[in-house]
Amino acid sequence: MKHAEERAENAQNRVADRITTFSGSMLFVYIHVLWFGLWIGLGVEKYPFGLLTMIVSLEAIFLSTFVMISQNRADAKRQVIADQQWRTVQEEDQQNDELLDLSRQILQLTKEVRALTAQRHPQSGSALDSGGQP
């Protein structure tokens, strides 16, 4: 958990997350539709729009990098959670083994008590074995 908290405090990762969040929003789409429409409509440059193509290509490179950074950060968080869950499962497994061992000991002691009771009180021991009342 400490590692995940340290990464969460890292300003660069927070910036990458914000950029990824924004670039995955409809506002981002609307801004680009408006930008491309104005670029082409106002005739900022002539067809085949070489500068626009270069700008959009660079934007795509950076956005894909930000997405990968955010995915790596999310993977690190998931790994921390998975590690903690695995430790919990191992602890529960150990507790289950201990409970099974205790149950076996209780069963063994119960059998020994019944055997001793049957030796001292033969009729009440047989009544207990047959399910009857002592």
Side-chain angles (χ1 to χ4, degrees):
M1 290 294 211
K2 191 177 208 179
H3 178 69
E5 290 172 3
E6 288 171 3
R7 285 187 55 91
E9 293 174 6
N10 188 329
Q12 293 173 356
N13 288 331
R14 288 195 311 265
V15 169
D17 285 344
R18 287 187 188 124
I19 291 171
T20 301
T21 300
F22 174 68
S23 66
S25 70
M26 285 306 295
L27 178 59
F28 183 81
V29 173
Y30 298 143
I31 289 171
H32 279 76
V33 167
L34 180 64
W35 175 26
F36 297 151
L38 289 173
W39 188 281
I40 294 167
L42 295 176
V44 174
E45 71 174 320
K46 302 283 182 205
Y47 181 82
F49 311 114
L51 180 60
L52 180 63
T53 302
M54 184 183 72
I55 292 170
V56 171
S57 296
L58 287 172
E59 180 184 42
I61 291 168
F62 282 110
L63 288 178
S64 65
T65 303
F66 291 129
V67 168
M68 288 189 294
I69 291 168
S70 292
Q71 286 177 342
N72 288 341
R73 187 168 177 210
D75 287 344
K77 287 179 184 178
R78 282 191 290 271
Q79 186 62 48
V80 167
I81 292 168
D83 290 345
Q84 180 59 41
Q85 288 174 340
W86 177 244
R87 281 191 294 275
T88 301
V89 166
Q90 288 176 321
E91 290 170 5
E92 289 173 349
D93 191 41
Q94 182 181 0
Q95 290 172 354
N96 287 341
D97 288 342
E98 291 171 3
L99 287 173
L100 284 172
D101 187 45
L102 287 173
S103 295
R104 288 184 193 103
Q105 291 175 19
I106 291 170
L107 178 62
Q108 183 61 35
L109 288 172
T110 303
K111 288 178 181 178
E112 291 174 10
V113 168
R114 282 189 174 177
L116 287 173
T117 304
Q119 287 176 357
R120 292 192 180 160
H121 307 287
Q123 291 183 357
S124 49
S126 63
L128 285 175
D129 289 339
S130 65
Q133 298 293 324

